[in-house]
């Protein structure tokens, strides 16, 4: 079986190959021989800070590391609880455990697949130090509700915006709803790069100062260690490459949005056939990944593969069902998370998909749904 339209494209950076190699040579032969936390990293942080209107942006080793740095910077530790979604990526739980705190798993909204604010609030106890909602796939979490809950209940708010850079809700950029948010620059993210990397973004300058020390062995300046830190320093080559790609980021996001909106228009009528697109409420969309909820998920995945189209199943088990986290789960049932794990299927949405490839993916899904849907008039891409 040949997959002609892969879910993870091998040519994400093909157009920038020469630029990347030139950057490697320039930095590798530069007189400073500075490969981490140099001028390129500073310029990259400054560019993101100015674009977001943040108090500080701290580039670090990965999105996962960014979560841990924020929690440590907030003083979250042993004896504390952090409420996290039961559905999502492992760092939501492992970052909490990594600072000695306990993750408390809350169920998700069945349509948005992000943490349900009511379930999160019910999970707050006297030990709760922070809430850690996460944006998921192409939908931002209900950050206005979470911000209100955090204020009213007197707990910290950390925003896992790893998949949502460039998104906004009510005009507020993803990452700046809580006291701090995180981005991930791993290859397949919307602002991915050919390597690992992430960033902490915050409106709190003092929190930014602490995170900046923590990422570099707890140093306020060289050889002056104020706290016990770690090594989560950003690469100069990657910083220069991201600076090169930053001006085109908005256009790449727009293309992702065009593809997602096309999918949703065509798939919205398929709910009666067990194929449900993500909610289209016009606000808080990020288009990192386009996920359907499908009653016969495995059948559709096989159908697409037979037609040379790749797809991907994210998170086949809820976090509290994973062996690593089950010992820390107080409850035993998260029905909406469990249902999402059984039904989720992601379609290709990378920005260099051609219109005819998008149409090919669309028609394959419609074919699986049945002739009545396949014969509907096509809605062209913008």
């Amino acid at each position: 079986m040949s997959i002609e339209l892969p879910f993870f494209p091998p040519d994400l950076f093909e157009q920038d190959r020469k630029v990347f190699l030139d950057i490697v040579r320039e930095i590798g032969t530069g007189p400073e021989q500075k490969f981490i936390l140099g001028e390129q990293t500073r310029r990259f942080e400054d560019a993101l800070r100015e674009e977001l209107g943040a108090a500080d942006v701290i580039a670090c080793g990965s999105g996962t590391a960014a979560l841990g740095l924020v929690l440590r910077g907030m003083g979250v530790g042993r004896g504390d609880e952090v409420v996290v979604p039961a559905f999502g990526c492992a760092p939501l739980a492992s970052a909490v455990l990594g600072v000695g705190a306990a993750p408390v798993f809350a169920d998700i909204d069945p349509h948005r697949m992000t943490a349900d604010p009511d379930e999160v609030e019910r999970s707050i106890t006297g030990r709760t130090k922070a809430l850690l909602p996460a944006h998921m796939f192409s939908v931002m979490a209900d950050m206005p509700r979470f911000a209100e809950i955090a204020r009213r209940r007197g707990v910290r708010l950390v925003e896992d915006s790893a998949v949502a850079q460039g998104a906004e809700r009510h005009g507020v950029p993803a990452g700046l709803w809580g006291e701090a948010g995180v981005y991930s620059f791993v290859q397949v993210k919307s602002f991915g790069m050919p390597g690992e990397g992430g960033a902490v973004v915050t409106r709190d300058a003092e929190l930014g100062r602490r995170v900046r020390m923590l990422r570099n062995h707890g140093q306020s300046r060289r050889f002056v260690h104020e706290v016990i830190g770690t090594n989560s320093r950003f690469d100069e080559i990657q910083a220069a490459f991201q600076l090169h790609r930053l001006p085109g980021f908005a256009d790449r996001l727009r293309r992702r949005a065009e593809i997602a909106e096309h999918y949703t228009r065509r798939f919205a009528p398929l709910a009666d056939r067990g194929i449900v697109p993500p909610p289209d409420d016009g606000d808080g969309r990020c288009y990192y990944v386009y996920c359907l909820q499908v009653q016969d998920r495995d059948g559709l995945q096989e159908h697409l593969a037979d037609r040379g189209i790749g797809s991907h199943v994210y998170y086949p088990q809820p976090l509290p069902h994973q062996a690593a986290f089950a010992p820390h789960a107080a409850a035993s049932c998260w029905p909406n998370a469990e249902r999402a794990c059984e039904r989720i299927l992601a379609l290709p949405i990378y920005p260099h998909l051609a219109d005819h490839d998008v149409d090919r993916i669309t028609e394959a899904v419609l074919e699986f749904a049945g002739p009545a849907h396949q014969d509907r008039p096509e809605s062209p891409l913008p």
Side-chain angles (χ1 to χ4, degrees):
M1 183 185 307
S2 174
I3 299 296
E4 300 155 5
L5 284 175
F7 180 79
F8 295 108
D11 56 348
L12 273 173
F13 309 111
E14 185 61 34
Q15 292 185 337
D16 300 303
R17 178 189 294 267
K18 183 179 185 306
V19 171
F20 184 76
L21 294 175
D22 288 346
I23 288 171
V24 171
R25 179 174 180 80
E26 179 182 347
I27 291 178
T29 60
E32 289 188 350
Q33 289 293 284
K34 186 81 169 179
F35 297 101
I36 54 170
L37 296 189
E39 177 64 15
Q40 300 299 326
T41 300
R42 185 195 63 76
R43 289 179 55 220
F44 179 49
E45 292 174 336
D46 286 348
L48 291 183
R49 181 169 56 247
E50 182 176 345
E51 182 178 87
L52 292 165
D56 208 354
V57 173
I58 306 97
C60 58
S62 68
T64 300
L67 279 178
L69 290 168
V70 169
L71 293 171
R72 288 189 64 191
M74 288 181 168
V76 177
R78 192 167 304 280
D80 295 329
E81 294 177 347
V82 179
V83 184
V84 305
F87 178 70
C89 61
L92 287 165
S94 62
V96 173
L97 289 164
V99 298
V104 176
F105 299 100
D107 208 359
I108 60 170
D109 179 285
H111 305 294
R112 301 183 71 86
M113 291 183 286
T114 57
D116 182 328
D118 293 331
E119 291 292 325
V120 168
E121 182 158 21
R122 277 192 283 271
S123 301
I124 295 174
T125 72
R127 296 175 57 194
T128 303
K129 187 72 171 280
L131 311 181
L132 179 49
H135 308 313
M136 193 63 61
F137 307 133
S138 64
V139 180
M140 286 181 66
D142 190 348
M143 295 310 299
R145 284 283 313 280
F146 286 120
E148 187 275 328
I149 292 169
R151 282 194 299 269
R152 179 162 43 81
R153 300 297 296 269
V155 296
R156 316 295 292 265
L157 180 60
V158 181
E159 183 181 350
D160 183 348
S161 45
V163 307
Q165 186 177 348
E168 293 184 351
R169 184 156 190 178
H170 297 182
V172 179
L176 293 182
W177 275 97
E179 294 171 70
V182 306
Y183 294 147
S184 170
F185 308 134
V186 73
Q187 180 175 353
V188 296
K189 294 294 195 297
S190 299
F191 192 44
M193 63 190 196
E196 281 277 8
V200 173
V201 301
T202 180
R203 295 186 188 275
D204 183 339
E206 174 57 24
L207 178 58
R209 186 189 72 84
R210 292 198 297 273
V211 168
R212 192 170 291 279
M213 286 193 299
L214 287 168
R215 70 144 180 209
N216 189 19
H217 299 296
Q219 298 177 96
S220 56
R221 61 184 186 276
R222 189 159 177 77
F223 300 133
V224 177
H225 302 266
E226 293 191 18
V227 294
I228 298 172
T230 189
N231 179 359
S232 187
R233 299 175 293 190
F234 205 73
D235 183 276
E236 283 286 277
I237 291 170
Q238 300 288 6
F241 189 63
Q242 291 299 80
L243 279 167
H244 160 73
R245 284 172 55 82
L246 185 59
F249 180 48
D251 285 339
R252 294 194 297 275
L253 282 182
R254 277 192 288 271
R255 175 58 178 170
R256 287 175 177 269
E258 287 177 358
I259 297 170
E261 289 161 7
H262 175 81
Y263 283 157
T264 297
R265 283 197 304 271
R266 300 302 305 279
F267 300 153
L270 305 184
D272 63 333
R273 302 303 302 271
I275 299 175
V276 180
D280 185 21
D281 54 14
D283 193 19
R285 305 305 301 275
C286 45
Y287 306 115
Y288 157 58
V289 167
Y290 188 91
C291 281
L292 299 169
Q293 293 195 60
V294 187
Q295 185 172 341
D296 183 10
R297 188 262 309 283
D298 295 344
L300 177 56
Q301 185 170 39
E302 183 177 348
H303 173 85
L304 293 172
D306 287 344
R307 284 147 186 80
I309 299 168
S311 59
H312 190 64
V313 175
Y314 280 87
Y315 317 133
Q317 280 188 307
L319 287 175
H321 289 184
Q322 298 276 1
F325 309 125
H328 308 280
S332 59
C333 183
W334 296 263
N336 293 332
E338 291 160 4
R339 186 171 184 267
C341 291
E342 294 169 356
R343 294 169 59 91
I344 199 79
L345 187 67
L347 303 179
I349 194 176
Y350 38 93
H352 57 293
L353 272 175
D355 285 359
H356 62 84
D357 291 329
V358 176
D359 287 336
R360 176 177 166 186
I361 295 163
T362 303
E363 293 305 315
V365 174
L366 295 174
E367 180 187 21
F368 181 80
H373 295 284
Q374 190 180 20
D375 292 341
R376 290 176 186 264
E378 184 171 347
S379 174
L381 281 161

